[in-house]
């Protein structure tokens, strides 16, 4: 594979965007790819936006993805999907978590959460919508939605059965033992969300 693939993960602080990115990057390294990752924390400790750019291929020279260059965007929160859609290349794919986290202006009442985001996104791009937040809560731990989304991404990219990547081992090596099993199960659930 000489072509470089570009993946953008976007969300809100506290959603586990960076953890999912690290697991994905480590899996890609296991497969022998050259991987570059760049992360941006925009007031992430206070619910601000977080974005991670991952580029992988035979040889990658820069971690930065420009507008219109992302092959896949995974949005952990739907308003973030809207904010970052300009980075998706023509023919690219979006995986969007149908989940709302109001920003500070919305919480303060000076702005309203936009309506019709999913409809807007699907009119502009190839979008798969997941209820990862709801699925994680139903399984007893809302913090596992990031691994559900990661599983969906891995499956959508055709990396689920890659012979050189042991996804469960990578997940377990990045989590405390008491949280590993529930996150492995969440990852498997995400794999099942994509055809």
């Amino acid at each position: 594979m000489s072509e470089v693939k570009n993946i953008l993960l976007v969300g809100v602080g506290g959603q586990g965007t960076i953890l999912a990115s690290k697991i994905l990057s480590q899996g890609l390294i296991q497969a022998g790819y050259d991987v570059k990752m760049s992360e941006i924390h925009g007031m992430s400790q206070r619910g601000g936006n977080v974005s991670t750019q991952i580029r992988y291929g035979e040889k990658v020279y820069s971690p930065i993805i420009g507008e219109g260059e992302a092959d896949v965007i995974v949005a952990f929160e739907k308003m973030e999907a809207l904010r970052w859609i300009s980075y998706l290349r023509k023919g690219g794919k979006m995986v969007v978590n149908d989940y709302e986290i109001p920003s500070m202006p919305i919480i303060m009442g000076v702005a309203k959460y936009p309506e019709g985001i999913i409809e807007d996104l699907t009119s502009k791009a190839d979008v798969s919508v997941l209820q990862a937040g709801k699925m994680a809560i139903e399984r007893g731990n809302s913090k596992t939605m990031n691994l559900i989304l990661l599983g969906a991404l891995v499956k959508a990219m055709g990396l689920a059965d890659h012979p050189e990547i042991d996804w469960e081992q990578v997940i377990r090596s990045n989590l405390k033992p008491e949280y590993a099993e529930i996150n492995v199960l969440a990852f498997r659930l995400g794999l099942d969300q994509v055809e």
Side-chain angles (χ1 to χ4, degrees):
M1 170 182 170
S2 59
E3 183 186 356
V4 173
K5 292 285 188 193
N6 301 311
I7 305 162
L8 183 61
L9 287 86
V10 298
V12 174
Q15 285 193 286
T17 310
I18 293 170
L19 174 62
S21 299
K22 285 180 180 173
I23 292 169
L24 177 60
S25 295
Q26 287 174 13
L28 293 168
I29 290 167
Q30 253 187 23
Y33 294 112
D34 184 20
V35 180
K36 301 286 187 280
M37 180 178 130
S38 170
E39 55 191 66
I40 299 167
H41 313 253
M43 294 286 289
S44 60
Q45 296 291 329
R46 302 194 185 280
N49 63 343
V50 175
S51 66
T52 315
Q53 300 180 2
I54 299 169
R55 302 185 74 227
Y56 73 98
E58 194 174 298
K59 186 66 187 157
V60 180
Y61 295 98
S62 167
I64 305 302
I65 299 170
E67 285 198 45
E69 293 181 353
D71 295 293
V72 181
I73 296 176
V74 180
F76 287 50
E77 197 275 347
K78 62 187 181 182
M79 195 163 50
E80 291 302 314
L82 199 57
R83 185 186 322 252
W84 288 91
I85 193 166
S86 66
Y87 280 76
L88 191 66
R89 73 166 172 76
K90 191 175 176 84
K93 177 131 182 85
M94 280 190 113
V95 177
V96 179
N97 186 15
D98 190 0
Y99 193 78
E100 292 181 14
I101 299 177
S103 63
M104 194 50 71
I106 293 167
I107 291 168
M108 293 172 59
V110 296
K112 286 190 170 199
Y113 198 95
E115 293 181 18
I117 290 176
I118 298 297
E119 295 77 11
D120 190 14
L121 291 169
T122 55
S123 73
K124 295 175 181 172
D126 179 5
V127 178
S128 293
V129 180
L130 280 129
Q131 300 284 336
K134 183 178 177 197
M135 287 187 272
I137 290 165
E138 286 172 353
R139 279 150 188 83
N141 190 332
S142 64
K143 294 207 175 276
T144 61
M145 81 171 91
N146 61 336
L147 271 292
I148 294 170
L149 291 162
L150 178 62
L153 170 62
V154 164
K155 183 72 173 275
M157 292 176 58
L159 294 168
D161 298 316
H162 195 291
E164 295 174 45
I165 307 174
D166 184 343
W167 289 110
E168 290 190 16
Q169 178 272 323
V170 176
I171 292 166
R172 290 178 192 282
S173 71
N174 277 280
L175 292 159
K176 293 180 180 174
E178 61 267 28
Y179 301 117
E181 193 59 35
I182 194 167
N183 280 282
V184 166
L185 293 173
F187 178 80
R188 288 185 196 150
L189 179 63
L191 292 175
D192 293 340
Q193 302 307 307
V194 177
E195 296 287 320

